[in-house]
Amino acid sequence: MPPPSDGVILSRVRETGAIVSPADIVYVLSLTEPVWVRAYVAEPDLGRVHPGMKVTITSDTAPDRIYEGTVGFISPPSPSSRPNRWRRPSSEPTSSTGCAS
């Protein structure tokens, strides 16, 4: 049976000769095309990044190798990625650790 896409086999889930149904996973593939990179952009630079923008990407593991690509998607900010700040009213007493009691 041919694979649905070109890729690299990461693991074989079923052994040769195993009885499987059409819904069973036999191999786990890593697709070779397209390659997606999840990059974190510093807050001061966020306004300069937009979908469709041409980019060059380097990696710490191969700093001399340069990849070219295009920004395909920018995730919306999630509540967990935003700093949560709170302020204690100065009239509240504090404990020895500096937190409101």
Side-chain angles (χ1 to χ4, degrees):
M1 164 175 34
S5 300
D6 289 340
V8 176
I9 296 174
L10 297 178
S11 64
R12 181 174 60 188
V13 180
R14 300 284 188 247
E15 295 297 323
T16 303
I19 298 172
V20 297
S21 70
D24 287 344
I25 296 172
V26 178
Y27 291 102
V28 176
L29 297 176
S30 175
L31 301 179
T32 54
E33 289 290 332
V35 174
W36 288 91
V37 174
R38 178 175 290 186
Y40 296 93
V41 179
E43 189 172 352
D45 298 327
L46 286 175
R48 300 187 317 180
V49 179
H50 56 85
M53 179 179 181
K54 300 289 183 193
V55 294
T56 56
I57 301 165
T58 59
S59 167
D60 292 343
T61 58
D64 55 333
R65 191 165 181 186
I66 297 173
Y67 302 92
E68 295 184 3
T70 305
V71 175
F73 180 79
I74 298 175
S75 298
S78 68
S80 63
S81 67
R82 295 185 199 136
N84 294 317
R85 297 177 58 182
W86 60 275
R87 182 171 53 116
R88 178 187 55 81
S90 58
S91 61
E92 287 186 20
T94 59
S95 67
S96 61
T97 60
C99 297
S101 14

